[in-house]
Amino acid sequence: MTTPNLLLLLLLLLAIPLTTTAQVLTTPSTPSQPAQNGNNAPKKDTSVLGTDIPFFDAGSETFSFDGRTWNVLDNRIFSARFEKYLAAPAQTSEADTEYRETLDQILTYLSPKNPGGPSLQHAVDLLPQAASYYADARLCDSLLNAIYGTYLSQNKVQELNRINTQLDSESGRVRRNYDLQKTNTDRTDRAVNNQDEAGVQEKEREEEKKDPGVLQGYEQRILEIEAQRVANKTRIAASEIQSKIEFQALIVQFFLQRRHEHVVMACRFYRKLFGDGDNKLHFEEESDAQKAFAQSVGFNPTISTLESVSNELIRDVDEGVNAFEYHLEQRELESASKRLSEAFAVGEYLPKIRTLDRIEKEKVLQFVRDANQLLSTIEVKDYTLAEELINRLRETSKDFDYSKPMAAVQTAKQVASMRIRKAKNAAMAGDTDTYEENIQLATEIWPTNPELTKEFNMIADQADVQSMTLNDLDRLIATRSFRQIFDDKGRYIAATVSDPERAAQLDTILNDIAKIDLSINQAEKLTQLGDKHGAWETVEELHKEFSDDPKLSSVRSDLATDVAPFVSALKEAERLEDRNQTGSSLAWYLKARRMYPNSTFARSGVNRLVELVLPDENTSLSPGPGAEDAPDQP
């Protein structure tokens, strides 16, 4: 991809969580605060859409913005969005086909190759039809409203021009009267100077008809007309510029949303509506946006620039999908997933992406899920499962680069084995402290290491220590202090080597705590992404089984406070369900689902109650947003 397209791709990636909020394409600044000493100057905003410029490193596939750096393809938000797309069916229904045909027809009407030239009216007439389709997201309505606003602005300009024409006529009439009055006055003055008796008589007759303030009145009226004409011209220029800026802001909005077909349509509408040839985008002088475009393309962009870039990105997406299909045919799933994710990032809503067959996407979906699970298993140090996933990915994809993850797994195993050998030597030497230290480290490196159980037999010689440890373990189990057991797991693992019953019990406890910590970690990640409802459901599901864990209870309590209305709705629904008040319970479940459409609790409750009411019908609800019909109050 060329340098200009790389820069524009950055803006596209940035646009996933953002929308354009201003009509004038300028760099926002922080409003000035009241000066405390009279010398405080306004500070320029350096946050999102402020002075920072996005930067993409093509070599490492990292994206830097607002002081942060991340991999564009290894990002939680992008991964979730991409997996959702892979699991979605292809948009090949009759309505989807009609929608794309409608957009093609609009572009045809706006094309110079259209018989008879571009037909603005026919294209405008099709916008409401295009907006009625689900895939359009009412964007054509926004475009239609912008066109309507331009029409109103142009009508206003025509009205001001008509008024100026009338003022020109009025000005000419007043000037003629002024000249006639002034001529009569000059003639009378000359007659007086020549001492002409007839002239004096004529002056006397004129003086009888003449109002001394007539000339001054004419001059005042001429000045008023000129002032009004200048004001109208200023309003005409301002109205034209504002209309252009508003339309350009919508075009840039489409561009940032990666709606490239709408960009092309809007650009063609713009040329037809504004036929003065001024297609330059209006940026604030010396703004970051202006500098970014100037440094990448060498000049300030125009409407034609955006249209050509959108057309280029459409072609680039088509090539990316073609490359994906080739790699898929060659069973190169890693390359296929990368090419598809790149095409998806550039043109998520383009037909080539949306019509891709679901069966082809499912092959990549399983690979992507295994790859993401591999990262999770390495993070929680489950190297046995990690090695299984690496081998599975190697078998699935011919081009999977297994060297780095396999090296990480083998290194961890070797270090854990080294620690176990040191612990064994320390136990043989009677060095209990060194033994416990190395066992602890070996457990932290690889908690599920199967060699730990075998090597722990050396603890049998330390009967007193073992007995004390087992008593301590029994006491902690009796008081359900499982977290304390987990924190000192190395000592208890060594103590239960010769006690299969306690060893099994301890293994269950350690697995449960590891499971709890993994859930808490997932909840923290969801909270960072702003999904506090999902975070609460993650820990709430586990809390039903491990209500005694203090760390889990603390996290659950904090999250419940943040999403209190949602939690209250679910609890009320469960209470009514327990009392067999099916209708009221269903209403509360629907209300909770409206608050958080992705709620598994609300969806399960609704499905459960619907199945109770209609046991012979297949009435399960899908997880997508659909709870908007739920009442505000049950």
Side-chain angles (χ1 to χ4, degrees):
M1 183 176 291
T2 61
T3 300
N5 286 343
L6 277 178
L7 175 63
L8 296 172
L9 176 58
L10 298 179
L11 298 177
L12 297 177
L13 294 173
L14 177 62
I16 292 177
L18 299 177
T19 57
T20 299
T21 57
Q23 293 177 337
V24 181
L25 305 181
T26 60
T27 302
S29 61
T30 304
S32 59
Q33 301 296 331
Q36 297 178 358
N37 54 12
N39 298 323
N40 291 352
K43 295 181 180 180
K44 199 169 185 180
D45 187 4
T46 58
S47 59
V48 174
L49 290 184
T51 58
D52 286 353
I53 290 297
F55 175 74
F56 178 72
D57 185 353
S60 61
E61 295 183 344
T62 56
F63 180 60
S64 301
F65 183 74
D66 199 23
R68 300 179 182 178
T69 302
W70 62 88
N71 189 300
V72 294
L73 301 181
D74 184 16
N75 176 268
R76 177 66 182 85
I77 297 177
F78 179 83
S79 298
R81 196 177 184 95
F82 186 51
E83 285 194 30
K84 181 178 70 174
Y85 159 72
L86 293 177
Q91 293 184 358
T92 55
S93 65
E94 182 178 353
D96 294 322
T97 302
E98 291 176 358
Y99 171 65
R100 288 189 290 272
E101 291 176 350
T102 303
L103 293 187
D104 290 340
Q105 187 63 48
I106 293 174
L107 292 173
T108 300
Y109 280 135
L110 294 173
S111 173
K113 296 181 180 180
N114 184 55
S119 177
L120 179 64
Q121 188 59 50
H122 285 88
V124 171
D125 292 341
L126 287 177
L127 287 177
Q129 177 181 338
S132 65
Y133 294 101
Y134 174 80
D136 187 74
R138 312 299 298 180
L139 294 180
C140 284
D141 258 353
S142 300
L143 182 56
L144 183 61
N145 289 332
I147 294 172
Y148 178 67
T150 302
Y151 280 146
L152 294 180
S153 175
Q154 292 176 347
N155 289 338
K156 179 181 177 181
V157 169
Q158 292 176 0
E159 178 64 18
L160 291 175
N161 285 327
R162 184 186 65 79
I163 293 175
N164 274 359
T165 301
Q166 293 177 352
L167 291 176
D168 288 340
S169 300
E170 175 69 9
S171 177
R173 184 186 65 80
V174 174
R175 289 179 184 278
R176 286 193 298 272
N177 291 338
Y178 174 84
D179 292 340
L180 180 60
Q181 183 68 26
K182 185 171 178 51
T183 300
N184 292 336
T185 302
D186 292 343
R187 187 184 303 117
T188 301
D189 292 339
R190 285 194 302 272
V192 171
N193 294 333
N194 295 331
Q195 298 297 318
D196 182 52
E197 183 178 352
V200 171
Q201 294 176 355
E202 179 68 21
K203 176 185 177 183
E204 292 176 351
R205 288 193 298 271
E206 291 296 334
E207 289 293 340
E208 294 176 356
K209 301 178 182 178
K210 176 182 175 184
D211 182 357
V214 170
L215 286 176
Q216 184 177 359
Y218 285 148
E219 292 173 353
Q220 181 67 27
R221 179 57 181 158
I222 290 172
L223 292 176
E224 291 175 353
I225 292 174
E226 285 301 317
Q228 188 171 356
R229 289 176 67 252
V230 171
N232 287 344
K233 288 183 178 180
T234 302
R235 293 171 62 189
I236 290 172
S239 179
E240 290 177 344
I241 293 176
Q242 182 64 23
S243 179
K244 287 182 179 180
I245 289 176
E246 290 178 355
F247 211 101
Q248 289 179 5
L250 181 64
I251 295 175
V252 175
Q253 175 78 18
F254 289 156
F255 188 79
L256 294 178
Q257 291 175 322
R258 296 168 295 163
R259 293 280 188 169
H260 301 300
E261 292 174 307
H262 291 77
V263 172
V264 176
M265 281 195 302
C267 289
R268 294 184 181 181
F269 274 119
Y270 183 91
R271 293 193 191 90
K272 192 65 178 176
L273 292 170
F274 304 101
D276 57 0
D278 181 16
N279 294 328
K280 179 182 177 181
L281 290 178
H282 294 270
F283 290 104
E284 181 183 5
E285 289 295 332
E286 299 301 321
S287 66
D288 288 337
Q290 183 193 48
K291 293 177 181 178
F293 277 103
Q295 292 173 1
S296 60
V297 300
F299 55 86
N300 287 338
T302 64
I303 295 298
S304 298
T305 303
L306 289 182
E307 181 180 3
S308 64
V309 170
S310 290
N311 284 323
E312 171 66 18
L313 292 177
I314 292 173
R315 181 200 63 81
D316 189 72
V317 169
D318 291 345
E319 288 189 351
V321 173
N322 291 335
F324 157 76
E325 292 174 339
Y326 172 78
H327 287 302
L328 193 64
E329 182 180 349
Q330 300 299 317
R331 207 165 61 83
E332 299 171 350
L333 297 185
E334 184 172 17
S335 297
S337 64
K338 287 183 177 180
R339 299 295 83 76
L340 184 58
S341 62
E342 292 163 358
F344 175 80
V346 174
E348 177 180 352
Y349 305 101
L350 292 176
K352 193 75 171 180
I353 290 288
R354 286 295 166 183
T355 57
L356 200 59
D357 188 69
R358 189 176 193 175
I359 296 178
E360 294 183 346
K361 293 192 296 182
E362 284 178 348
K363 297 177 182 178
V364 174
L365 176 61
Q366 187 58 49
F367 176 85
V368 171
R369 285 177 175 173
D370 286 345
N372 291 337
Q373 186 181 8
L374 175 60
L375 295 176
S376 299
T377 54
I378 292 178
E379 182 178 356
V380 299
K381 303 176 182 179
D382 187 356
Y383 298 117
T384 302
L385 179 57
E387 190 168 6
E388 293 178 2
L389 289 170
I390 292 172
N391 293 329
R392 185 194 306 170
L393 290 170
R394 291 181 62 183
E395 295 175 359
T396 303
S397 176
K398 294 194 303 183
D399 63 338
F400 172 64
D401 184 8
Y402 62 91
S403 57
K404 290 183 179 179
M406 184 61 78
V409 170
Q410 295 300 331
T411 300
K413 286 185 173 183
Q414 290 174 4
V415 173
S417 298
M418 180 185 67
R419 289 294 178 181
I420 291 175
R421 286 196 298 270
K422 286 185 177 181
K424 183 177 179 180
N425 293 334
M428 294 176 63
D431 188 352
T432 305
D433 293 337
T434 303
Y435 170 81
E436 292 181 354
E437 178 185 356
N438 282 278
I439 285 295
Q440 178 73 23
L441 291 173
T443 306
E444 292 175 356
I445 295 171
W446 187 7
T448 59
N449 186 354
E451 295 184 8
L452 283 173
T453 302
K454 299 178 182 179
E455 299 300 335
F456 288 158
N457 290 327
M458 68 181 64
I459 198 75
D461 297 334
Q462 303 175 357
D464 293 339
V465 176
Q466 181 181 25
S467 178
M468 186 187 310
T469 304
L470 290 177
N471 291 334
D472 192 20
L473 177 62
D474 292 339
R475 178 181 58 82
L476 293 176
I477 292 176
T479 58
R480 302 186 65 82
S481 301
F482 301 138
R483 176 65 61 176
Q484 188 173 348
I485 295 173
F486 182 83
D487 292 339
D488 199 12
K489 54 182 173 290
R491 187 163 64 97
Y492 298 116
I493 291 174
T496 57
V497 169
S498 59
D499 192 339
E501 183 177 351
R502 284 194 178 96
Q505 193 173 9
L506 177 62
D507 186 64
T508 301
I509 292 173
L510 296 180
N511 288 335
D512 290 343
I513 298 298
K515 182 179 178 182
I516 292 172
D517 287 347
L518 180 60
S519 177
I520 292 174
N521 186 33
Q522 292 174 349
E524 290 175 350
K525 289 185 177 180
L526 290 174
T527 302
Q528 292 173 0
L529 295 174
D531 188 4
K532 293 185 177 180
H533 295 82
W536 177 83
E537 287 198 349
T538 299
V539 298
E540 178 64 15
E541 182 68 26
L542 206 60
H543 186 264
K544 296 176 182 179
E545 183 179 357
F546 307 105
S547 58
D548 295 329
D549 186 79
K551 185 176 180 181
L552 181 64
S553 298
S554 175
V555 174
R556 171 179 174 268
S557 177
D558 292 342
L559 291 173
T561 302
D562 294 337
V563 294
F566 172 72
V567 174
S568 178
L570 282 178
K571 296 302 181 183
E572 181 64 15
E574 293 173 355
R575 185 184 68 83
L576 293 171
E577 182 180 3
D578 292 338
R579 297 174 59 180
N580 294 326
Q581 296 183 12
T582 305
S584 299
S585 177
L586 180 60
W588 278 101
Y589 275 126
L590 290 174
K591 181 178 180 180
R593 191 167 184 262
R594 185 179 60 184
M595 295 179 187
Y596 179 52
N598 293 328
S599 171
T600 56
F601 287 0
R603 185 170 68 254
S604 298
V606 171
N607 289 339
R608 189 168 55 251
L609 293 177
V610 171
E611 181 65 20
L612 180 63
V613 177
L614 302 172
D616 296 331
E617 298 291 335
N618 184 15
T619 54
S620 296
L621 298 181
S622 65
E628 286 78 2
D629 296 332
D632 290 335
Q633 295 294 336

